[in-house]
Amino acid sequence: MLARSFRTANLACKLRAGLSVQRMSYSSSSSQEDAIGFIGLGQMGFHMAKHLCSKSQKPFVVYDMNQEAVSRFQSESSNVMSASSPADLASKTSVIVTALPESSHVKGVYLGKNGVIEGMRKNALCIDSSTIDNSVSIDVSKRIISAGGRAVDAPISGGIMGAQAATLTFMVG
């Protein structure tokens, strides 16, 4: 179990650095099976997703409540698809990263109607980089695991400037 935790943390670090995540035993071909999903294209998430997308060779799927943010992201990035809901994004990806401003948003995106858990694939890796209440993080993680996924709590530090410069610190737990 400990080795698995290290592998999961290592994967999160690779994602943060924009490195390939082909060691997840998926084929190296670009399919939805190994697509990366990103939810939350706000002031932090937009830049985080942009750096990850620019360094990844995987298909990239984004979702945000603000359709303008999605359109802007797609116009500035290549190989990007949009999703109609968190559930739709989860059904198209095997790795899901969220960057959301507060606990209620995280609960809604993962547990709400058309939330990630509704569309999540078995063994999907969910990495939440939101800085939220610990109790919410624990509850959401337990529910992801109960639904057959894997959860990594990875809040970030570094602010908007860190997101723009790709110098954020992830506290992976």
Side-chain angles (χ1 to χ4, degrees), residues 13 15-18 43-44 46-55 156-170:
C13 291
L15 285 171
R16 175 191 67 191
Q43 294 183 46
M44 299 285 288
F46 188 91
H47 300 291
M48 292 167 61
K50 192 155 173 73
H51 289 296
L52 180 57
C53 183
S54 72
K55 298 205 183 337
I156 53 177
S157 175
I160 296 168
M161 291 177 66
Q164 291 170 332
T167 58
L168 293 172
T169 299
F170 286 70

Side-chain angles (χ1 to χ4, degrees), residues 3-25:
R4 182 175 171 197
S5 297
F6 284 127
R7 283 193 303 271
T8 302
N10 188 31
L11 174 62
C13 291
K14 286 181 179 184
L15 285 171
R16 175 191 67 191
L19 301 175
S20 174
V21 290
Q22 292 175 339
R23 292 187 180 198
M24 288 184 65
S25 75

Side-chain angles (χ1 to χ4, degrees), residues 57-114:
Q57 296 177 13
K58 306 289 184 184
F60 209 79
V61 184
V62 295
Y63 174 79
D64 195 284
M65 288 177 46
N66 178 351
Q67 188 55 47
E68 267 183 43
V70 172
S71 297
R72 179 176 160 227
F73 190 86
Q74 287 184 298
S75 72
E76 294 183 19
S77 306
S78 60
N79 197 27
V80 176
M81 299 171 278
S82 65
S84 60
S85 68
D88 181 42
L89 179 139
S91 73
K92 296 175 179 177
T93 61
S94 55
V95 176
I96 303 159
V97 181
T98 50
L100 301 164
E102 60 184 61
S103 296
S104 63
H105 297 138
V106 172
K107 286 173 89 172
V109 161
Y110 280 97
L111 310 176
K113 184 175 178 358
N114 292 314

